[in-house]
Amino acid sequence: MSQYLVAIHHPDNFDPCTESEATVRAIDALNEEMAAAGAVVFVGGLTPVREAKSLRAQPDGKVLTTDGPYLETKEHIGGFWVLEVAGLDQALAWGARRWSPAGRRWKCARLEYHRKQL
């Protein structure tokens, strides 16, 4: 079994408070389905990008904290799942469950571990 990150992209002006009640119910049902199948390791939604902070290492060893995302983009990751499934096809199948509005993009990538898991 491998772990995969399945992330949904939102436009930068997305406000999670504007999600319809039907969409919220669909997300909850999907989460329950994933849990019942034993596929979900972790699920989380992110706050609006305007609330993000970026950390940048400076040459003098200090860390600079600034408002906003690290990259200037027109979209950002709004939520994600970490799934433990047999392979990429299963992760993609979960990601393909269409509870979100048409046109939303998803990302799916296998997680790699370079150190012993704690």
Side-chain angles (χ1 to χ4, degrees), residues 2-68:
S2 296
Q3 291 185 347
Y4 290 83
L5 172 77
V6 178
I8 184 169
H9 295 256
H10 291 303
D12 276 349
N13 63 353
F14 178 77
D15 182 354
C17 297
T18 64
E19 288 283 24
S20 71
E21 188 61 36
T23 298
V24 172
R25 283 193 306 271
I27 294 168
D28 289 344
L30 176 62
N31 290 338
E32 290 170 9
E33 222 179 307
M34 287 177 174
V40 68
V41 174
F42 183 84
V43 60
L46 301 177
T47 59
V49 72
R50 67 182 171 275
E51 296 177 24
K53 301 290 183 194
S54 292
L55 304 174
R56 291 182 179 91
Q58 302 298 297
D60 62 5
K62 294 181 181 177
V63 176
L64 175 66
T65 302
T66 58
D67 291 338

Side-chain angles (χ1 to χ4, degrees), residues 59-78:
D60 62 5
K62 294 181 181 177
V63 176
L64 175 66
T65 302
T66 58
D67 291 338
Y70 174 70
L71 299 172
E72 294 295 326
T73 65
K74 293 184 180 183
E75 61 184 24
H76 63 278
I77 294 175

Side-chain angles (χ1 to χ4, degrees), residues 1 3 7 11 15-16 30 37 53 87 106 110-111 114:
M1 298 286 261
Q3 291 185 347
D15 182 354
L30 176 62
K53 301 290 183 194
W106 294 79
R110 188 171 62 86
L111 298 174
H114 297 285

